[in-house]
Every structure is written in C-alpha cells, then in structure tokens.
Amino acid sequence: MAKSMESWAEGLPSEFQQRSLKEILRQEAAWVLGLTAVAIFILARWRADFGYWQYVVLVSWYVGLLLAGIAWRPLQWATVASVLPALGAVWLYAHGQTPANNVVLHYVLQGVAAALWMSALLLLSTGAYLVSVFTGSAAIGRWATRLTWAGVIFGFIGLGVRWRETYLGHASWGHIPVSNLWEVFVLFCATTPLFYLYYEQKAQNRSLGAFVMPLVAAAVGFLLWLTLAQHMDQVEPLIPALQSFWMKLHVPMMFVGYANFTIASLIGVAYLLRDWSVRRGGVLAARLPDAELMDDVMYRAIALGFLFFTVATILGAVWAARAWGGFWSWDPKETWALIVWLNYAGYLHARVVKGWRGRSMAWWSFLSLWVVSFCFLGVNMFLSGLHSYGKL
C-alpha cells in the first residue's frame, strides 16, 4: 500500500500536474463559470448593503474556492453537494416551512440535524479506518473514505443552514456560524476530515485515517456533549465584539490552520509507530506510507497551516484594534496563538534551513498537538480574558 516519493509525482491525478492557463480554463470551465455566476448573483442581490470590506470578504472567498477547486477537483463536487441541499433548506424556510412541520428539515437539513448526521458518519468512518488498517481490507478502506466524504458534506450543509437559521430569531442576530464552541466544533469536525482526504489522495494511502480520524471522533464526542448536555446548539445573538465582518475571514482561516496542524501531529504519531514497527517487524511497517512520504506530507500540512494561521492572526489583530482599541493586549488567547505561531515557525526553520528530518521532526509535530489543543480549547475552558465568550 505504501508509495515512495520517487513514484509520487507520476501517480498524481491530472489536477496536480502542470497545466497552462488555457488548459485550466478549458478543463475547469464549469467550476470557473459556476463560481463566477454565484459571485455575480451575490453582488447583484446584496451590493447595496456592501461596504468596502464586504467586497474584500467576497473576493477572498471567491479566489480561495476557485483556486482550491482547480487544484483539487473533488472539492468541486463536494462544494456542490453541500451547497445545493443547504439552499434547499433555505428555500423551505423562505416558504414558511420549519422543523416542526417539515420532516426533511427536522430530521435531515436543519443545522443541528445535519451536524448530528455528520457526527454519526464520521464515527462510522473512524471505525472503518481502524478495521481497514488492522485487517488490510481495501474494500473497507474505500468505504471509510466514502463515509468521511459524506460526513464532511453533511457538516458543511449544517453550517450553511445554520447561517440562515441565525436570522430566523431576529434579523439583527444573523452571523456566520463560528461564534461559540458548538459552531466552531462543527467547523473543526468538517474541516479536519476534508483536509485529511486531500492528504490521503496525495499519499494514495488510506491507513493514515486510522490515526487522524480517532481524534476527529473525540471532537465529535465533545460536540455531542455540547449538544445534548450543554444545549449550546441554540442560536443566540452575538455580543458586540463579534458583530464584525472580520469574523468571516479570521475564524475560518484560523481553523484551516488548526485542521492542518492536527493532521500533521497525527501523521507524526503514524511516523513514530511505523518506525517502531519496522524495528519490531510489526504489520504497520507494510501498511503505512514510506517514512519519507509521511515526513513530506507532515511538512506540507504544517506549511499550509502556518500560512493560514499567520494571516488569521494578523486579521485578528486588526479586528482587535477595531473592537477593543488595540492590536495586542496579551489576552490568553492571543498569547497562546503567539506560542503556537512561534512553535511552528521553529519547526519550519529547522526543516527548511537546518534540514532536519525524520524522527525528531515527527516528535516535534506530535508534541505540538498539545500546544494547539490548549490554544483551541483549553484557553476557552480554563482561562478568562477578552475571548471569554467562547467559555462553556
């Protein structure tokens, strides 16, 4: 199952090969035209309400989705599969339907219902990945990938419908659904498997899912606790500090960083276990990718996460200046974000400048998970500060 770095380039799908602009426009015409039509519709429909920064948000999302879809074709159909049902739910709400009188909304398309479907599918996919890696069953592995895709799609359906639902209580409540722990855990549980699927395709090996998906399953468990015990799935009005267009960029970009850092950490675990298995003659040595490939994927995940985390931190500082009157206040969340940034800046320096590879970098990546986890969750649960709106 493992694939060496030398044969990686030859086995990449066509969307990863070098293409001219003319070839891209011809091969990706439907994606480019469809996304452009959506952007034009948004402008035509809501331009009167746009300020300068709303244009920045729209252009950022448009360019980001356009390039990501061109680079990775599965994202195109996954986007369509997420957006169309979400729009169907919005249409039902617009025509007087509610979860109380519409069975589809109640059991499938309502934001909370879709998040629960996501949770069930991701738990099933986690089990399938674990069975696949221990039995070596390629068929179960394929089902694990399919279940993960289904969970990701339901997660983004839930977020899309939730966005519309925030306007139902009162028009002034409307906001992108990343304002409390429940919403950001739905985002984390949808985003992390999505990026994992990208790296799975690059590595052409499904065994890494047995390491990444159990942590996603743990996040799903926490999400279910927030839903069933804490009832944090209820829509509430935003506090004044969160009533900003910056949230549409800062939080999603931050979670791209969190997702990639998490994946890299768990690939580090896989690397270390494979190394142990090679010395002991265990089964993982044959089923996990080559060490060189895992080292490279781990580095790429951290590099991508670091890019988004850096931009998100800068945007957060600008947002803080507008909301609280200063770019930096040594709030616990800000301080731990800086710790995360310095940690991964150190990793990239050691990797790129010093040429460090192998077990030492795998340990660095794995241990970094605890730093990221505390920044993401621990600060909200145990510390107080300007970001205390995220507490339980």
Side-chain angles (χ1 to χ4, degrees):
M1 292 179 68
K3 189 174 177 71
S4 67
M5 282 293 292
E6 289 76 18
S7 60
W8 184 5
E10 301 175 62
L12 285 175
S14 60
E15 55 263 36
F16 294 110
Q17 306 291 345
Q18 293 294 326
R19 293 181 289 172
S20 67
L21 180 60
K22 183 177 180 180
E23 289 174 325
I24 289 174
L25 291 176
R26 183 180 71 252
Q27 295 169 3
E28 315 294 348
W31 176 246
V32 173
L33 292 175
L35 204 59
T36 303
V38 170
I40 291 173
F41 171 79
I42 291 173
L43 279 175
R45 175 67 176 80
W46 289 287
R47 183 173 55 185
D49 300 323
F50 270 32
Y52 173 77
W53 286 107
Q54 277 74 19
Y55 286 103
V56 173
V57 171
L58 178 61
V59 169
S60 299
W61 277 95
Y62 171 75
V63 173
L65 275 175
L66 184 70
L67 295 178
I70 290 172
W72 188 36
R73 276 187 165 178
L75 184 64
Q76 298 181 18
W77 65 260
T79 301
V80 174
S82 301
V83 169
L84 290 182
L87 289 177
V90 170
W91 184 86
L92 289 173
Y93 277 124
H95 287 76
Q97 301 295 299
T98 69
N101 60 26
N102 187 289
V103 67
V104 176
L105 278 176
H106 184 79
Y107 290 108
V108 183
L109 293 181
Q110 182 187 14
V112 176
L116 292 176
W117 278 106
M118 173 199 73
S119 300
L121 288 162
L122 293 179
L123 290 174
L124 287 172
S125 73
T126 301
Y129 275 116
L130 290 170
V131 171
S132 174
V133 77
F134 284 112
T135 64
S137 172
I140 295 176
R142 287 191 293 271
W143 271 106
T145 298
R146 292 167 188 153
L147 288 166
T148 304
W149 270 117
V152 167
I153 289 168
F154 264 102
F156 283 106
I157 289 172
L159 288 169
V161 177
R162 173 78 167 196
W163 197 339
R164 178 66 185 92
E165 289 170 346
T166 63
Y167 287 87
L168 298 180
H170 192 280
S172 64
W173 291 10
H175 60 271
I176 185 172
V178 290
S179 66
N180 65 11
L181 274 179
W182 186 88
E183 292 172 350
V184 298
F185 258 86
V186 175
L187 179 62
F188 178 81
C189 291
T191 304
T192 304
L194 177 64
F195 278 97
Y196 162 71
L197 289 166
Y198 169 68
Y199 294 117
E200 177 182 279
Q201 183 171 336
K202 288 182 75 68
Q204 296 187 18
N205 188 298
R206 292 188 171 93
S207 59
L208 291 175
F211 297 87
V212 175
M213 293 306 294
L215 188 137
V216 174
V220 165
F222 188 76
L223 175 65
L224 293 174
W225 178 73
L226 291 176
T227 306
L228 303 174
Q230 298 296 313
H231 306 292
M232 289 187 69
D233 56 300
Q234 303 300 314
V235 175
E236 296 180 351
L238 292 179
I239 65 172
L242 293 180
Q243 295 173 10
S244 171
F245 55 81
W246 290 104
M247 192 161 64
K248 298 180 179 69
L249 289 175
H250 169 71
V251 179
M253 294 183 78
M254 189 67 75
F255 274 83
V256 172
Y258 284 145
N260 280 275
F261 293 155
T262 299
I263 291 167
S265 297
L266 296 167
I267 292 176
V269 175
Y271 185 104
L272 295 168
L273 288 177
R274 183 191 184 278
D275 185 63
W276 177 84
S277 182
V278 168
R279 296 196 304 270
R280 299 293 183 91
V283 69
L284 287 177
R287 291 183 181 156
L288 284 168
D290 291 345
E292 187 180 356
L293 178 57
M294 285 197 287
D295 183 80
D296 191 68
V297 173
M298 187 165 53
Y299 159 66
R300 289 169 183 264
I302 288 175
L304 180 61
F306 184 77
L307 171 64
F308 277 87
F309 194 86
T310 299
V311 176
T313 302
I314 294 170
L315 292 176
V318 177
W319 184 6
R322 291 177 173 268
W324 300 318
F327 289 99
W328 197 266
S329 58
W330 295 105
D331 173 77
K333 195 76 166 182
E334 295 172 349
T335 303
W336 275 91
L338 178 61
I339 292 170
V340 170
W341 189 90
L342 290 172
N343 173 71
Y344 284 109
Y347 175 98
L348 293 172
H349 176 79
R351 179 69 157 70
V352 176
V353 178
K354 299 297 184 181
W356 290 12
R357 300 286 193 281
R359 293 181 72 247
S360 60
M361 301 306 280
W363 274 109
W364 192 331
S365 180
F366 165 56
L367 294 174
S368 297
L369 177 63
W370 308 104
V371 180
V372 173
S373 298
F374 193 81
C375 179
F376 169 33
L377 183 59
V379 171
N380 299 75
M381 295 183 67
F382 304 117
L383 302 178
S384 61
L386 295 173
H387 289 80
S388 293
Y389 53 80
K391 293 178 73 69
L392 288 172

